[in-house]
Amino acid sequence: MSTDVKYAIQDVYPDDFSWCYGCGRLNEKGHHFRTGWGGDKTVTIYTPKAEHTAIPGFVYGGLLASLIDCHGTGSASLALHKKNGYMPEDGVEAPRFVTASLQVNYKKPTPQGHSLKAVGTIEELHPKKYKVHIEVFSGEICCATGEVVAVKMPESFGQSS
Amino acid sequence: MSTDVKYAIQDVYPDDFSWCYGCGRLNEKGHHFRTGWGGDKTVTIYTPKAEHTAIPGFVYGGLLASLIDCHGTGSASLALHKKNGYMPEDGVEAPRFVTASLQVNYKKPTPQGHSLKAVGTIEELHPKKYKVHIEVFSGEICCATGEVVAVKMPESFGQSS
């Protein structure tokens, strides 16, 4: 299993939108999930910390949900950026997506102390809306699956509630 | 809005199963979500930390997913414990549930700096399996909804993968 994502879409998110606790490169306390292309799939690799426990020895489900969430928005951003002609390594600011819905199925207890690999398959629902089908592996074992519907962040995001 | 849950089911989880990053009272670095009865609904109240950011000013969706996750398993535990004749304040060890599936719909950007209140409605699918329908409020505004299917932790949990 590869242990790193060389060119991540989060590296080219606009600074103002790079504070996400899951994947923002500027959030010092966050997870720093990084999502890149792996062929026509998308990949995020992360090793949970010791405190990310469900019961001792196994990974917290909320951490898996967080990984799936940010992997979903990152995958959608990768897809639209590619459609616009860019790869993360081009250094061009990428579009930012937000999660409309998140679904997670926990298949197997996920052992701690190992890196996890989220693999995404992208489905375009609309030019500004993607569904990402995600599998999370520990070694060869698929521990969780999920789906994220990600929508391009509206210009008005956060300006009204 | 009330600001505390007096008697939480997590207070009577067995010690060995109280290390959850979301809701384990023994996990020093965790969120310490606490879930109790509010009439025939279940309630968890939590104020996200400054670092739990999506974009500045708004709460990270993965944190909301974590809140919904642990609120779901806590609600299922409350329900079965009550069926067995106990309330959290009785000091009797409660059954522990694990999440089979988690679904979250993000309805509105969730402002930071305010307490969140998760409210659960419990549906018994089977004596060992519950579906919990959850709404997360910031003040009067429902920011997210979700569903958790929680299954009583098998004796063999974690013993094989």
Side-chain angles (χ1 to χ4, degrees):
Chain A
M1 182 192 285
S2 59
T3 56
D4 200 10
V5 169
K6 190 167 182 184
Y7 300 111
I9 195 71
Q10 290 88 357
D11 296 342
V12 286
Y13 281 172
D15 284 355
D16 286 351
F17 301 133
S18 293
W19 296 92
C20 174
Y21 186 72
C23 65
R25 67 180 182 278
L26 301 178
N27 189 325
E28 287 183 8
K29 297 186 176 174
H31 302 313
H32 296 171
F33 298 139
R34 298 177 71 255
T35 307
W37 288 109
D40 60 349
K41 307 282 188 181
T42 54
V43 175
T44 304
I45 292 166
Y46 181 74
T47 302
K49 294 181 181 169
E51 64 263 30
H52 294 145
T53 311
I55 67 167
F58 297 92
V59 175
Y60 175 47
L63 190 277
L64 294 168
S66 297
L67 173 61
I68 287 171
D69 183 2
C70 291
H71 180 74
T73 50
S75 296
S77 181
L78 280 165
L80 180 56
H81 207 41
K82 188 176 187 182
K83 196 173 171 182
N84 291 338
Y86 302 111
M87 297 294 272
E89 56 267 39
D90 296 334
V92 174
E93 280 195 354
R96 191 76 167 84
F97 280 73
V98 293
T99 308
S101 69
L102 167 68
Q103 213 279 326
V104 182
N105 297 307
Y106 297 96
K107 301 293 210 185
K108 303 263 188 190
T110 305
Q112 279 194 302
H114 302 275
S115 70
L116 300 175
K117 184 176 187 176
V119 178
T121 305
I122 298 167
E123 176 187 353
E124 182 178 313
L125 301 178
H126 178 276
K128 295 183 177 180
K129 191 173 182 180
Y130 291 81
K131 182 184 281 190
V132 185
H133 306 266
I134 299 161
E135 295 177 297
V136 179
F137 293 91
S138 174
E140 300 300 314
I141 297 168
C142 178
C143 296
T145 62
E147 278 183 8
V148 168
V149 174
V151 178
K152 192 167 180 296
M153 186 183 284
E155 298 295 328
S156 63
F157 186 84
Q159 291 176 9
S160 70
S161 60
Chain B
M1 183 191 289
S2 61
T3 55
D4 200 10
V5 170
K6 189 167 182 184
Y7 300 111
I9 196 70
Q10 289 87 356
D11 295 342
V12 288
Y13 281 171
D15 283 355
D16 286 351
F17 301 133
S18 293
W19 296 90
C20 174
Y21 185 72
C23 66
R25 66 182 182 278
L26 302 177
N27 189 325
E28 288 183 8
K29 296 186 178 176
H31 303 313
H32 296 171
F33 298 139
R34 297 177 71 255
T35 308
W37 288 110
D40 61 349
K41 306 283 189 181
T42 53
V43 175
T44 304
I45 292 166
Y46 181 75
T47 302
K49 293 181 183 170
E51 64 263 31
H52 293 146
T53 310
I55 66 165
F58 297 93
V59 175
Y60 175 48
L63 189 276
L64 295 167
S66 297
L67 174 61
I68 287 172
D69 184 2
C70 291
H71 181 74
T73 51
S75 296
S77 181
L78 280 164
L80 181 55
H81 208 41
K82 188 176 188 181
K83 195 173 172 182
N84 290 339
Y86 302 111
M87 297 293 273
E89 56 266 41
D90 295 335
V92 174
E93 278 194 355
R96 192 75 167 85
F97 280 73
V98 293
T99 307
S101 68
L102 166 68
Q103 212 279 327
V104 182
N105 297 307
Y106 298 96
K107 301 293 211 185
K108 303 261 189 191
T110 305
Q112 279 195 302
H114 302 275
S115 70
L116 300 175
K117 184 177 188 175
V119 178
T121 305
I122 299 167
E123 176 187 354
E124 182 178 310
L125 301 178
H126 177 277
K128 295 183 177 180
K129 190 173 182 180
Y130 292 80
K131 182 184 280 191
V132 186
H133 306 266
I134 299 162
E135 294 177 298
V136 179
F137 293 91
S138 174
E140 299 300 315
I141 297 168
C142 179
C143 297
T145 62
E147 279 184 6
V148 169
V149 174
V151 178
K152 191 167 180 296
M153 187 183 283
E155 298 295 328
S156 63
F157 186 83
Q159 289 175 9
S160 70
S161 61

